[in-house]
Amino acid sequence: MTAGDDAPDSGRLAALIRVALGEAGFERAAVWSAVGFAVSYVAFDVASIAASTAASLGATAVPQGLVAPVAGAVAVLTAVGVAAFAAVGGGVLPAILLAYGPFAAALLRTTGPEPYAIPLSDPVPFVVAVAEPLGAAVAGAVAVGVAGYAVGRVVAGIGGSEEEPDSVFADDSADADD
């Protein structure tokens, strides 16, 4: 075994780390996850208030059950955001983190406990009430994060420059002749 035998393995490991972590970092994903949680959580209240206001002003055929459309809009916007994040260099793990915030808010509002009604004086009922929606949010975030990463990298490859190779395992031997 020679010293040159380890180079392909270290190159693959570096490529795997680059795919997992990306170049954009966790900081941006964490901030957008938190912002996505807050905006998504409040979006359900805003949609309800808007529907009630429109109905009180005499609008007809105003849907009062806006939970499904709002949750669908949150899911679509999250998927687009994750793909865009991956297209500019985000990795799989930050993409999953980015998707978790909005999904957690949407699942808490759709399948979780009644909003603003759980007393925090006894933490056990609170933890039990939110554990299932947050667990489902992790599963959804993993699915959308991985798929969004794949779509984002394809989009980045289509619009990318011809100077960079499309494959993370590309051979650099052609550059060695220069």
Side-chain angles (χ1 to χ4, degrees), residues 129-160:
V130 299
E132 186 177 329
L134 294 180
V138 169
V142 168
V144 170
V146 171
Y149 174 80
V151 169
R153 295 314 301 158
V154 167
V155 169
I158 291 172

Side-chain angles (χ1 to χ4, degrees), residues 76-87:
V76 168
L77 286 173
T78 300
V80 169
V82 167
F85 179 71

